[in-house]
Amino acid sequence: MKDGKAGAVTELKPSQPLDHADALRAHGGGFLLIEGNGKLDKITVKGSEATIDTIKDGLAEPVSVTQVGDVGWVAEGKLSYVIGDNKGKDPGPFKLTPITLPK
């Protein structure tokens, strides 16, 4: 962005494959990214390169992240209960998981 207008579009080359990327949020000089396969990543972009660093793996069906101070609150969506193998079953309570974010 410059003067409130979008610049040229650049296709980014991630340092590793992404699995069901979701919930991109600004974080410091980069971004936080949720992957549907259970990961919270930090993305650092330089030119057309996007370096992916996993902050936390093993999350249960994450769909979103919100930063409050030094903590990323990851919301689980339990999408498998809507469109997947668990469709029609009781998903039980939903969780927000606090994760300390790198500086």
Side-chain angles (χ1 to χ4, degrees):
M1 298 281 301
K2 185 175 182 179
D3 298 325
K5 297 181 182 179
V9 174
T10 300
E11 182 176 348
L12 298 177
K13 298 175 187 110
S15 61
Q16 63 189 39
L18 297 171
D19 187 350
H20 293 87
D22 200 357
L24 188 67
R25 302 282 186 259
H27 171 69
F31 300 93
L32 297 173
L33 176 76
I34 288 293
E35 290 189 67
N37 66 349
K39 293 180 184 177
L40 170 62
D41 300 325
K42 178 181 174 187
I43 311 295
T44 305
V45 177
K46 290 184 182 171
S48 64
E49 302 295 320
T51 302
I52 317 288
D53 294 303
T54 299
I55 298 169
K56 177 78 174 169
D57 197 354
L59 297 163
E61 300 186 62
V63 293
S64 188
V65 60
T66 297
Q67 181 178 352
V68 179
D70 294 336
V71 176
W73 289 90
V74 176
E76 58 181 35
K78 297 192 179 189
L79 295 178
S80 70
Y81 289 84
V82 178
I83 58 173
D85 295 340
N86 295 313
K87 187 174 182 176
K89 297 178 185 175
D90 180 359
F94 287 74
K95 282 186 1 182
L96 290 173
T97 302
I99 299 168
T100 301
L101 298 172
K103 302 223 178 209

